[in-house]
Amino acid sequence: MPKYVTLFNFTSQGITEVKTSPGRMKAAKEGIEALGGTMTEFLVTMGRYDGVVSYELPDDETAAVFLLKTGALGFVSTETMRAFDVDEFEGITDKI
C-alpha cells in the first residue's frame, strides 16, 4: 500500500484551538482508517513544521481525498510527500 508523509503547520484557527488538537488527531486516524488506510505515526515537532504524520492509503486519489477533507477543516496547512520504503526503492533502482 502506498506510504505518505505529511508535514503540517497549525493555521491561526488551529493554534487558537490547539487544546482540541488531540481529538482532531484521533479523528484523522479514524478518517484514514475509514478510507482503508493506517496511520503509522503522528509526531508534534519543534522547528519549521508543527508536526509530521506518516500513513498508508490505497492510492494517490484516496490520499487526495483525505488531505482535502483535512485542509477544509481549517486547522492545519499541509505538505505531503509520497514515500518509498527500502524494498520499494530497490525495486525502482532495479529498473534503471
Side-chain angles (χ1 to χ4, degrees), residues 24-77:
R24 287 195 302 277
M25 184 277 300
K26 290 176 187 171
K29 181 179 180 188
E30 292 168 358
I32 289 169
E33 290 171 353
L35 291 169
T38 304
M39 181 185 289
T40 52
E41 188 143 41
F42 183 97
L43 301 167
V44 175
T45 59
M46 298 186 305
R48 182 175 174 190
Y49 295 96
D50 295 323
V52 179
V53 183
S54 60
Y55 51 97
E56 297 179 353
L57 282 167
D59 51 49
D60 290 346
E61 291 80 10
T62 306
V65 167
F66 169 70
L67 291 163
L68 289 169
K69 285 181 162 184
T70 299
L73 297 173
F75 295 104
V76 293
S77 61

Side-chain angles (χ1 to χ4, degrees), residues 3 5 9 13 19 41 43 48 54-55 57 68 74 83 88 92-94:
K3 296 164 188 61
V5 174
N9 282 311
Q13 177 184 352
K19 287 187 83 170
E41 188 143 41
L43 301 167
R48 182 175 174 190
S54 60
Y55 51 97
L57 282 167
L68 289 169
E88 291 169 319
I92 292 167
T93 60
D94 285 346

Side-chain angles (χ1 to χ4, degrees), residues 9-29:
N9 282 311
F10 293 115
T11 62
S12 57
Q13 177 184 352
I15 200 66
T16 300
E17 299 184 39
V18 72
K19 287 187 83 170
T20 61
S21 292
R24 287 195 302 277
M25 184 277 300
K26 290 176 187 171
K29 181 179 180 188

